[in-house]
Amino acid sequence: MFPGFIQATILAVIVILTHTTKHIHCDDEASKVDDSYVLSLTKDTFDDAVKNNKYLLVKFVAPWCGHCKTLAPAYAAAAKKLAESGSEVKLATVDATIDGDLAKQYEVQGYPTLKFFREGTTLEYNGGRSESEILGWLKKKTGPPADELKTVDDLNKLKESDAVVVVGAFKDTEGDNAMAFLQVAKSMDGIPFGITSNSDVLKELQVKDDTVVLLKKFDEGRNDLTSSINEDSIREFILANQLPIVIDFSAETAQQIFGGDIKVHTILFDSKKSDAYEKNRQELQTTAKEFRGKTVFVFVDSDAADNERVLEYFGLKASDVPVVRLITLQDEMRKYKPESSDVTSELLTKFVRDFHDGKLKPHLLSQEIPEDWDKAPVKILVGKNFHEVAKDKTKTVLVTFIAPWCGHCKQLTPIYEELGEKYKDNSDVVVAKMDATVNELEDIKIQSFPTINLFPKGSDEAIEYNGPRTVEGLSKFIDSNGQDSGKDETSDKASEQGDEGVEGEEEQPHVEL
């Protein structure tokens, strides 16, 4: 998990939501899954299962969780394949809504959360959600980091196993170059690695000296690293070449795009039906080649209905395309907007270079201030009027940051409106809300929904509320000027705000996204 992971994966969460909706509501595949090879564990059987299985992958779920249902078929298929092959790896599931103590013990913050138990140690699962990705991750954690390629057939099998594979071709598989290669193979999930010194395989690969070969089923098809072979150079080489020069956004590629080690993304939103589409994509491709290994370049098709919420996240509409945005997923998520709307390689290159040179300022979304923003008991804030209202030191201001798709926010609405009614005639108190998905603030970063902050009268402080979401609890928070924030009155905020599926359910960011 990299720093600021919660902030960084909010976009990936929204992305996954858009792409899983149709699967959940059309087929409900989870109801047809043969999960007979998946162990069903409870608090009474959990410890024995961990003790008696050398390798155990456990999925913590909730029955209402849409993403749990979406994951179920791939998870069950992986369990079946492992069982049929006689593997020592077992897959299990825990209903965290029933066995909440187990979920709390293993710090489950949302659903689904996967934990891997390996001979007494516990690892966070950070692989993908397809059958092949689950199996590949487990293979890397339980077997050798790289397959030994003894024959050309072994090489061909490896090449067919995935869209991207990496082969270490060495004269001596015990040498320094080979050892560096194996160290990298151990640390990189999601890519099959092979290693060889076999003369027939080296001839098939057309290499004579030590070489790291990346084989892929797109773009130029192959990249070679032939000099200065060490751990750093191998890792940089793979990062620079494992993705397409411009990668099309989809549910299948979301993990690669937002879960990788490169944290800078330049995104072109455009219509594939546009007459200028091919030209715009080529302009992006030209720029992308200059920043390989530093920036991931992504194309989002604005015609795809599933991408509507991705555009919304950036404050865009289909009528705005073609348009470019850059996001960085470093310590916190930031978005950047080019000065010009023209899509040319010259302008794009300058835009991306200026970002890397630290010359750009983040682009913050804000809706326009509604004419009636202050007419109702609960005031409506946007980016443009937030500081004027919330930072008014003559008043105590309570602000709830919401998302329109957030189930817990919807549950809070009638309670919050009642709270607004209670304080509507109090000139010293303001009760307000802000849609944080379309209004962004430089100094306040929202990590989950809803987030409730109090800005006390006469203070620059922002105090987060952690108590029960009731009129009584929130009233105490306001009346105490933030002193009674409810920290000792609630059991587990994470479980209360745990992620959900779709249709009014929110999913907390997780490493497996």
Side-chain angles (χ1 to χ4, degrees), residues 288-490:
K289 291 177 181 178
E290 185 170 334
F291 295 95
R292 293 187 79 166
K294 295 181 179 179
T295 304
V296 177
F297 287 77
V298 185
F299 172 76
V300 176
D301 184 6
S302 61
D303 295 325
D306 291 337
N307 290 339
E308 182 179 351
R309 285 181 63 182
V310 185
L311 272 82
E312 288 178 1
Y313 179 81
F314 284 89
L316 301 172
K317 302 183 295 292
S319 58
D320 295 325
V321 304
V323 65
V324 173
R325 292 291 185 268
L326 183 149
I327 61 170
T328 174
L329 310 182
Q330 300 285 357
D331 292 339
E332 57 187 37
M333 179 185 290
R334 293 178 183 270
K335 305 172 190 174
Y336 298 83
K337 176 183 177 181
E339 292 182 359
S340 173
S341 60
D342 294 337
V343 181
T344 69
S345 59
E346 292 81 8
L347 290 172
L348 290 171
T349 299
K350 182 180 184 304
F351 173 55
V352 179
R353 185 179 293 122
D354 283 350
F355 166 78
H356 285 289
D357 290 344
K359 296 179 180 179
L360 300 183
K361 291 184 178 181
H363 171 63
L364 300 174
L365 294 177
S366 177
Q367 295 174 301
E368 294 301 320
I369 302 174
E371 291 184 5
D372 60 348
W373 72 270
D374 61 346
K375 303 304 182 187
V378 176
K379 314 307 178 187
I380 300 173
L381 302 186
V382 297
K384 293 181 177 181
N385 70 347
F386 178 85
H387 287 91
E388 178 184 353
V389 177
K391 299 298 183 71
D392 182 353
K393 292 184 181 181
T394 67
K395 301 180 186 296
T396 292
V397 183
L398 184 73
V399 182
T400 293
F401 299 91
I402 62 171
W405 42 260
C406 162
H408 292 300
C409 300
K410 294 176 182 178
Q411 293 171 10
L412 177 62
T413 297
I415 297 168
Y416 206 66
E417 289 178 350
E418 183 180 343
L419 184 75
E421 285 287 342
K422 179 177 179 179
Y423 287 94
K424 69 178 182 179
D425 296 324
N426 189 329
S427 60
D428 292 328
V429 174
V430 175
V431 177
K433 64 180 179 180
M434 187 175 89
D435 182 348
T437 67
V438 287
N439 295 283
E440 298 171 329
L441 304 169
E442 178 68 24
D443 52 343
I444 298 176
K445 304 303 176 185
I446 305 304
Q447 299 184 358
S448 62
F449 300 105
T451 290
I452 305 173
N453 282 359
L454 187 77
F455 300 87
K457 183 176 180 178
S459 171
D460 291 321
E461 190 178 9
I463 305 171
E464 184 172 352
Y465 181 66
N466 295 304
R469 293 172 187 159
T470 62
V471 173
E472 181 183 3
L474 290 165
S475 296
K476 289 180 179 178
F477 187 45
I478 293 171
D479 295 341
S480 67
N481 219 28
Q483 296 301 307
D484 189 346
S485 62
K487 289 185 178 180
D488 297 324
E489 299 177 39
T490 182

Side-chain angles (χ1 to χ4, degrees), residues 57 87 139 174 258 267 425 448:
L57 181 65
S87 171
K139 180 180 179 181
E174 301 293 328
F258 298 109
I267 306 172
D425 296 324
S448 62

Side-chain angles (χ1 to χ4, degrees), residues 13-33:
V13 172
I14 294 174
V15 162
I16 296 299
L17 285 174
T18 66
H19 285 272
T20 54
T21 304
K22 59 185 178 184
H23 298 300
I24 294 169
H25 293 291
C26 293
D27 297 321
D28 193 12
E29 295 177 6
S31 63
K32 305 172 185 176
V33 171

